[in-house]
Amino acid sequence: MSESKKTVVLGASPNPVRFSHKAVKSLLRHDQEVVAVGFREGLILEQEILVGMPPIEDVQTVSIYIGSSRQTEYYDYIISLKPKRVIFNPGTVNPEFMGRLLREGIEPLAECMLVLLNDEEY
């Protein structure tokens, strides 16, 4: 893997059995810059989980770990981060939002970020 790609993990959880938790750990292991944003404060390794919709600059990727029914309130926030792509992990695919992202010039991907990282395709 070449350069670090700042990734926002949306839906990050301090619960180690959650895939969002595993995703943050995997990004850190792969030397990727990660910002964990979740519904509850906590830590994933040394990484603080931010709550709400914090301003974040220079975002390359947003990786979504929240269901489509909860995503609506985050549409404008995600677009405001100006990511190059948004990864919809299994269980989060949202055709409506994916269409809006395309219209905004943001690439939507229905992929598993953990698989992309492990296959060195991230």
Side-chain angles (χ1 to χ4, degrees):
M1 253 168 280
S2 53
E3 87 274 5
S4 177
K5 301 170 176 80
K6 186 188 284 184
T7 301
V8 173
V9 174
L10 186 60
S13 171
N15 183 342
V17 302
R18 305 291 297 194
F19 281 104
S20 61
H21 185 97
K22 294 173 184 180
V24 171
K25 287 172 66 175
S26 186
L27 284 162
L28 292 170
R29 269 195 313 275
H30 285 89
D31 296 319
Q32 297 296 318
E33 187 176 356
V34 61
V35 179
V37 178
F39 302 113
R40 294 191 339 245
E41 292 179 346
L43 291 175
I44 301 173
L45 299 176
E46 308 85 38
Q47 186 72 40
E48 179 184 359
I49 299 172
L50 306 176
V51 294
M53 298 182 192
I56 306 164
E57 294 189 7
D58 302 316
V59 174
Q60 201 268 354
T61 302
V62 174
S63 188
I64 297 180
Y65 286 91
I66 57 176
S68 58
S69 62
R70 257 188 120 167
Q71 290 172 20
T72 309
E73 64 189 282
Y74 289 93
Y75 287 4
D76 291 336
Y77 172 65
I78 292 168
I79 291 167
S80 77
L81 297 175
K82 298 182 175 79
K84 289 182 177 39
R85 65 182 179 175
V86 175
I87 298 175
F88 291 82
N89 289 279
T92 69
V93 173
N94 180 341
E96 173 193 344
F97 189 33
M98 293 171 100
R100 181 164 172 201
L101 290 170
L102 278 172
R103 290 189 296 278
E104 296 282 344
I106 300 168
E107 179 186 16
L109 291 172
E111 297 280 349
C112 176
M113 192 184 72
L114 289 169
V115 171
L116 292 173
L117 282 164
N118 288 334
D119 289 349
E120 296 188 3
E121 295 177 8
Y122 194 75

